[in-house]
Amino acid sequence: RGFYCFEEIWEEEYSNPKTDSDLDEINTFSQSIFLKRIAQINKSNCITIKTKKNSIFFDRSIIDVIGYLNAYKKSIPKKWKNIALETKYYKTIFYCPIWENIYKTHKGRKESFAESIMINKHLILTYKKFNYSINNIPKIDIVNRVDYILNRI
């Protein structure tokens, strides 16, 4: 529909990062994802293509990485917190709340539905902690979800 969107980043070598210690795969995975999302932000500042309303969409943000680590009670590097405070996306984020009717596990999402509820809670808390307003997208079909977002930007 004429907008630029940065897609989700997924690291193939981490089919399902282990979360059971502070020296585990989730920390390495999160660092890789965090750096790649920073690269997306940097790239967004250089995009010269004209998009509708000059809006750019990000499927996920660096705040998500921090939220996931919070969910698993992992330490967050102070540098990341500072970057998250300095880096601003749009003030209001569009958030797709967890929806059991369409929830599926796949290569990029190995979490159980119960685990996803826990992650969802921490993502919302983390976005609020970093002073973002959350606009929950209604649980409606995909075309109407897109319309919902586009009618509010």
Side-chain angles (χ1 to χ4, degrees):
R1 296 191 190 184
F3 294 91
Y4 190 92
C5 182
F6 286 98
E7 294 184 14
E8 170 63 89
I9 299 167
W10 180 252
E11 296 288 331
E12 290 294 328
E13 66 260 33
Y14 300 103
S15 60
N16 196 17
K18 292 183 179 80
T19 62
D20 53 0
S21 77
D22 231 19
L23 301 172
D24 61 21
E25 289 180 356
I26 196 167
N27 292 322
T28 304
F29 170 80
S30 295
Q31 180 176 4
S32 177
I33 297 297
F34 190 88
L35 293 173
K36 288 179 179 177
R37 290 190 181 146
I38 291 293
Q40 286 181 332
I41 292 165
N42 293 337
K43 184 178 177 184
S44 75
N45 294 327
C46 300
I47 291 177
T48 57
I49 61 168
K50 192 77 171 154
T51 65
K52 287 185 178 180
K53 299 185 182 182
N54 291 322
S55 296
I56 296 173
F57 290 92
F58 294 85
D59 183 83
R60 301 273 182 172
S61 77
I62 58 175
I63 305 299
D64 289 75
V65 179
I66 294 170
Y68 272 86
L69 289 174
N70 284 335
Y72 292 106
K73 297 177 177 38
K74 303 298 178 186
S75 58
I76 314 295
K78 184 172 176 70
K79 181 179 179 180
W80 290 15
K81 291 177 185 177
N82 291 337
I83 290 170
L85 287 168
E86 294 167 7
T87 304
K88 288 299 176 188
Y89 296 88
Y90 300 102
K91 182 180 165 111
T92 299
I93 61 128
F94 290 97
Y95 190 81
C96 293
I98 193 158
W99 186 3
E100 189 169 18
N101 291 350
I102 65 169
Y103 187 86
K104 292 181 182 169
T105 58
H106 52 72
K107 183 170 62 171
R109 182 194 297 151
K110 303 277 183 166
E111 300 92 0
S112 68
F113 185 72
E115 190 175 6
S116 291
I117 291 171
M118 181 265 303
I119 293 167
N120 185 73
K121 174 182 147 194
H122 285 279
L123 288 173
I124 290 168
L125 290 172
T126 305
Y127 272 103
K128 288 180 179 179
K129 180 180 177 182
F130 284 94
N131 297 315
Y132 286 91
S133 297
I134 299 172
N135 188 327
N136 283 305
I137 300 169
K139 296 176 180 179
I140 51 181
D141 67 84
I142 188 73
V143 171
N144 286 312
R145 281 186 273 165
V146 172
D147 289 341
Y148 177 87
I149 294 167
L150 297 182
N151 288 332
R152 283 158 181 80
I153 60 171

